[in-house]
Structure formats: structure tokens, C-alpha cells
Amino acid sequence: MSDINKQLDILASRTVDLYSRDELKKKLELADRENRPLRVKLGADPSAPDLHLGHCVVINKLQEFQALGHQVVFIIGDFTGMIGDPSGKSATRPSLSREAVEANAQTYKEQIFKILDPEKTEIRFNSEWFGDMRFDQVIRLSAHVTVAQMLARDDFSKRYAENRPISLVEFLYPLVQAYDSVMVKADVELGGTDQLFNLLLGREIQQAHGMAPQIVMTFPLIEGLDGVQKMSKSLGNYIGINEPPREIFGKTMSVSDELMWRYFTYILCVPETEVAAMRQEVDSGRRHPRDMKDELARRIVARFHDEAAAMQASEEFARVFSQNKLPDDMPEILLRATDAPEGVMGIIDLVMCGDLCASRGEARRLIQQGGLRIDDVKVSDPMVSVPLKDGMIIKAGKRRFAKVVLSE
Amino acid sequence: MSDINKQLDILASRTVDLYSRDELKKKLELADRENRPLRVKLGADPSAPDLHLGHCVVINKLQEFQALGHQVVFIIGDFTGMIGDPSGKSATRPSLSREAVEANAQTYKEQIFKILDPEKTEIRFNSEWFGDMRFDQVIRLSAHVTVAQMLARDDFSKRYAENRPISLVEFLYPLVQAYDSVMVKADVELGGTDQLFNLLLGREIQQAHGMAPQIVMTFPLIEGLDGVQKMSKSLGNYIGINEPPREIFGKTMSVSDELMWRYFTYILCVPETEVAAMRQEVDSGRRHPRDMKDELARRIVARFHDEAAAMQASEEFARVFSQNKLPDDMPEILLRATDAPEGVMGIIDLVMCGDLCASRGEARRLIQQGGLRIDDVKVSDPMVSVPLKDGMIIKAGKRRFAKVVLSE
């Protein structure tokens, strides 16, 4: 019994919502008596296969369940993924081909198995049960919810109040997710705080199908590099778990001191008491925040690569940024005589050739703001043409470099 | 072209909503050029197979379309009929077996073919296209409507405002009806005024499927015998088209003078100008309203039976009610000695034996109100016991009679 209480403390940690600790305890006891693992569900949208640290907040909890012997059920929502948003109102729901879904699923697997144990992970596609579902079954499923209940969901009530359209399809999609819980017999479902409504609906739909309701756990949507908005690929403020060590390290070093503590907690799962102690070290001046952030960045790189890569990234970062030296290797801008017949090139063209900015507009703003240097000399006129030299170093912003290589 | 305008005048008559006269004209012109009939749809709920005069308001218009050469498509909503209301919230949606649906469909046919031409009537069951429809198609269909659009429907907005539950299923059912229009390629759909939303949704869903939108026509929900509430079986204020001549005649004679004009217009399709002239005759005192109502009742009986039956019903009615004589034949109350060993019977028991009242409570009220006569003598004490005589006449209310027949 003390073992159950210990499990409970581990599993309840870092949750925002938990429905409920008591129920979870009973489920753990029942699973223990029946000598079976709990089935812990996480649903994934197959349209965005690049996992980043934001996803890790939830996946870390799955790992903790696995470490305690439980079974993860990872559901790839290919049924709705292949339909997309037929109303055409949501840009975030492209419709995917079967091939794209499968390719994305493969990418998912490669990424989640950096964290999760494949032996204790069941991967399911929900087209398995929805592919053949007929209209009359949809009607019976829809009978379990009311319009008012759906409109109570935060984002729906807001859009309805603002007269922004909500397609009827959007009322069906939460039912899809909820019915997944019936089909995989989920004991627990995890999600971000924005998933609370859908996860609770899973409880109701399970009960309507004569099942015990799943435990619902939500986790914070961790802020991205800007420290304000939630980490997301579309906002560009993310750290991908597949990025090279140097990128993960450099991006981590750019987060605010305040956000650093949340990353220790939610990305590295450092217990609250330890984080408080580390914070005390910094607050008291015994340890420099940059040093603490270096530890955070090293530990994150080590998690997704290895210790050696972490050390190397840390050393290189120190050399380049603290001592203002150049990185060990850097991308090259290979230019031929035909690219610049007169031996000169517009500064924006040069930046774009080196892939140093995402757009000409961004390049122009960077130059105007004084963020561009050529051989350590600031260039602040975006209209200037630059005489090309072999080995010339372009530095864009704090961390992006490229070296010009001229060839015949 | 004058022919088209003439058709248009006929078809537009008696409509409450018409979307739109111009469009209908273009459809008629196109059908004329392509030498094909318009397809005119009416949907029917398979749970209530007894047609009454309320239904005739719309069916009359179908008949006019047929008389002009057009094709009626009568859809029996067996798909939803067999599902019923899975939320269990609506008592008006029992779930029907396949056998019940087919029996009801047969009854429908027998009744509508009293009015419609079977040669120009296509009968379809919507399970034909919905039986195999899969979830992904439902999602694509749902994408064409928004939640706000559905909530704008009168009854939904009212229930939502009053916090009365609306099952999500109820948002799917209008789509079912609308998609029927796509599947049968309806050029026109008819319905009561309460169907306006659903019929207009049919236009949208047809357009979303690349079709020209159907013309929408609505008709009044005609008042029943009470003159206040719409005629309906559940309210008991109806005249069924399958009722015997005497019943149809007597019930028609019981409507108010005011409602009589509406029956001339909507049940008998007498043109407005003629109705106005008839009204003038009555208002000026040249014709007695009872005489006018007799004409109405005769014409209605003649329509669903024949002229002879109409005349007979009229004559009998006149004899019984105007001249206070007994009807030609009347139901008998067959009583044996064992039914009343002492030769007497409680007055309420006697009324119930003769099936003259629906319940003992109704019998008691009728007696207390002085509405019961035995051999033309009023009996106003509901507790009295009556000595039984062979040939004794019981009269309950104005029109119900029975004759006691004693046997050994």
C-alpha cells in the first residue's frame, strides 16, 4: 500500500488538472490486485510530426507511467487527419494522404522512442475503428452530448459569443477523441490544459458505453523561447527534439532566467524541492544564472543526444559567445563567378544565399537594426552592394554565421 | 410563356413562404425547354401513418404539380425512423422496426393515393442512401453548416435560451433531410411553415454539392376542430382522411364559422376570390352559415369517399341534429342477463359498455353537465342505476348514440 502511495505521488506531480487523485489511487490498487498495467492514452495529431520540448511535458509523464510498469497507448488520429477540415475554415487541419499519415507516424515513432520504451508502447491508428463506422452509429454516439455542453468548451463559447463561425464538424471531433478512449479501454488519458474538455468528455462517453471513466490529467502548455507564447512550431519559438546539439543548446541559452526554472521542472522533471534549492543558489548569488542555464542546456542536449555532445555544445557556445570567437565549423556560401559577374552582390541577396534569414523582409529589418556584420564590421544599409572575398564571414544576429567560398 | 405564368399562379397559390417565385419561373421554363417534369419532394416521418386534413394542405399542392405534369417524390424517412431518438429526450421519436416502417409505408401509400396519381409518384426510403453512409461522409456533410446557423432555428434558439437540452443528434437530423434533396435531385420541396429552416438548409446542401438549389414552398399548419391548435393526431382535434363519411361530416360541421373559410381554401383549394364571394353571401344574410358548412362537409366527404356518401351523410346529419331524429343505424349495446343479473346497471357502466365515452371520468363529466339522455330524458346523476329495457336509446353529447339490445 505504501508502494501505491509512492506511485500516486510520482504520477500526480506536475499535473494541472487531475480527475481525480482518489480515483487514480483506486485504479492503481485495482490494477495491482489484477496484476495488470494501467492503459495510459495519449492522442496525437498526425499532421505535425516534429516533436518539440512542449510535447515532452506530457510525454515525460508517460515515461513515468512506464517506469512504474504501465502501458502507454499512443493514438495517431489518422481518421480525422485524412479528412482534415472539410469546412476549410481551419488552416491547422490540412487533409493528409494515407502515405503522409504513415510517413508522419514513422517520424513520430522515431521521436517518441527517444523518450518512451517501445516494449511498453502500443501504437494505434483510430481509422481502425472509425474507418467502418456508419452514420447510425455516429447518431447514437452524438446522442450522448448536448449542444450546450459543447458550447461550454472555452474556445467554442468564445467564438460563439464573438459571432465567429464554428463548423458543426468541430462538434463531432471531440466525440472522435472521446470514443478513442472507449475503443482502447483507456484507464488514464493525458493532455495539455487545452485538452481538458475533450478528456473529460472521454469519461462521459466511456460511462455511456458501460465502462469505468478514465482518469484525466492535464499539463501546462510550456512557453517557448519568447517566454510568453506556448511553444509551437507555427510560432517558431520551439526547440525540436531532433535538432542538432548546437541548436538545442543555443536556443536553450536564449530563454529568460525565469523560464529556465519551468524547463527544469517540466522538461527535465527535476523535483520541485530541488528546483527551489537551485533557485536559492542563484538568488543568493552563489551561482551565476548563465552557469545554471548552461547546466539546463547541457542536460537537455544530453537527454536527446548524449553527454559528449552536450559537453561539446557547451564548450563551443562558451568559445563563440562568451569569448566572441567563431564556431568550429560553419555553413558555407558557395558562390561562383557567374553568381556575381562583377564581383559584388547586394547585401540582402548575400544573406539569402547563405540562408541566414527566412525572408528578404527579415533580412532588411535585421540589417537596419544593426544585426548584420561582415568580417566583424557592421553593415546597416540594406541597399549596399558588397565586394565578395573568399573566406569572408557573415554574421546574422547573435548566433548565425556563414563563410563565403568563391569558386570558378 | 403565358402557360408558364398560368402554372406559376396556380403553384404559388396558398403558399406562406416561397423561395422564390422568380426561381420557380426559371425552373418551369427550363423543365419546359428540356421537356422533363420538375421533381417535387415531400418528406414523411414513418412513425405517424394516419393522414388527416392537416396533411392535405401540402398534399393538395403536390396534386396541383401532378396535374401540370410534374413528378412527386415522396420520401419516407425510415433511416432516422429506425434510429428514433437515441438521446431518449423526445417522446415523438419512437424507434421503429423494419416491419413497422414497411407497414406504415403501405398505409401511407393507400392514403396518399386517394389524392395523388400513383403514376406520377415516386416513393423512396432514405435508408437507401443513408444505410451505408460512413462517418467520414457525415463529417464532410456536417462541414457545410455552422453551429450558429443551426441555433438560429426557432425551436433550437428558444430551447437554448431556456437552458433546455438539445441533443447533438438534433443538429444532425436537419442535415439528413437536406441531403435527401441532393439524393433525389429535388427541384422543389414542400412542407409546413415549421419546416422552413430545414427546407432552406436543403438549398444550401444542394448548392454545396454543385446542384441548383430547390424551390422552397411552405404552407399553413391548419387549425384542428378546436380552431386554435394545429390539427394533429396527438391533440385529438383531427379529421382523418380514412374516417367513415359520417365522422368526417359530423366533425366538419363542428368547426367554427371562421375556420370554415380556411378549410374551403386549404382543404378544398377553392380559389380566394370564390371563397370571398361565398363569404359575402353569408355575411349579407343571403345564405345561412350552417348551410355553407353543410356544403363544406359534403365536399370533403365526397373527396375522400364519393358524392353518394356525402349526400347520405348530409341527410342523416340533418335528420339527427336539425330535426332531432335518430340516425338510420346506430351501434348496439348488446347486454346479456349475466351482465346485469338484477336488470339494472350503473349509468357510467352503461355508457362505457356502449363505448360512448373514452373514460369513466369523461362519462361522469358528461352526465354532470347534462349531456346524457336515456330515451330522450336527461340523466344528470352519475351514481344512478338504470333499469334496462330492450331498444332503450342512450344519447351521449350531440352526436353519439347507442341502442340497448337485451339477449338471454
Side-chain angles (χ1 to χ4, degrees), chain A residues 44-47 75-86 93-98 101-102 105 124-135 137-138 141 169 172-180 183, chain B residues 133-142:
Chain A
D45 169 0
S47 66
I75 297 184
I76 294 178
D78 65 331
F79 173 68
T80 46
M82 286 188 287
I83 298 173
D85 173 26
R93 280 203 181 272
S95 114
L96 301 175
S97 66
R98 159 73 25 220
V101 164
E102 273 167 15
R124 302 286 287 275
F125 293 82
N126 69 357
S127 61
E128 186 189 322
W129 44 90
F130 286 122
D132 292 329
M133 190 184 250
R134 289 190 329 264
F135 194 2
Q137 296 170 287
V138 177
L141 184 56
V169 173
L172 294 176
Y173 279 3
L175 279 174
V176 166
Q177 185 175 342
Y179 190 69
D180 284 342
M183 292 312 289
Chain B
M133 189 184 250
R134 288 190 328 266
F135 194 2
D136 61 323
Q137 296 170 286
V138 177
I139 287 177
R140 281 177 236 276
L141 184 57
S142 308

Side-chain angles (χ1 to χ4, degrees), chain B residues 39-98:
Chain B
R39 294 175 62 74
V40 186
K41 173 193 170 199
L42 181 68
D45 169 0
S47 66
D50 281 346
L51 292 192
H52 54 62
L53 299 193
H55 298 110
C56 292
V57 177
V58 171
I59 296 175
N60 284 337
K61 184 58 67 180
L62 292 178
Q63 190 186 27
E64 290 175 348
F65 270 102
Q66 286 186 332
L68 294 168
H70 301 293
Q71 171 77 37
V72 165
V73 186
F74 193 80
I75 297 183
I76 294 177
D78 66 330
F79 174 68
T80 46
M82 285 188 288
I83 297 172
D85 173 27
S87 73
K89 284 181 188 102
S90 162
T92 61
R93 280 202 180 274
S95 114
L96 300 175
S97 66
R98 159 69 30 218

Side-chain angles (χ1 to χ4, degrees), chain A residues 79 83 86-87 89 130-131 133-136 138-140 142-143 145-148 151 160 165-169 171-173 175-176, chain B residues 79 83 86-87 89 130-131 133-136 138-140 142-143 145-148 151 160 165-169 171-173 175-176:
Chain A
F79 173 68
I83 298 173
S87 73
K89 286 184 185 101
F130 286 122
M133 190 184 250
R134 289 190 329 264
F135 194 2
D136 60 323
V138 177
I139 286 177
R140 280 175 236 277
S142 306
V145 295
T146 68
V147 170
L151 271 177
Y160 185 65
I166 304 165
S167 166
L168 186 50
V169 173
F171 272 23
L172 294 176
Y173 279 3
L175 279 174
V176 166
Chain B
F79 174 68
I83 297 172
S87 73
K89 284 181 188 102
F130 286 122
M133 189 184 250
R134 288 190 328 266
F135 194 2
D136 61 323
V138 177
I139 287 177
R140 281 177 236 276
S142 308
V145 294
T146 69
V147 171
L151 270 178
Y160 185 65
I166 304 165
S167 166
L168 186 50
V169 173
F171 272 23
L172 294 175
Y173 278 4
L175 281 173
V176 166

Side-chain angles (χ1 to χ4, degrees), chain A residues 279-293:
Chain A
R279 195 166 185 150
Q280 176 56 25
E281 275 190 280
V282 168
D283 288 350
S284 66
R286 272 175 289 142
R287 199 163 170 197
H288 194 281
R290 192 181 53 229
D291 183 33
M292 189 61 88
K293 211 176 290 174

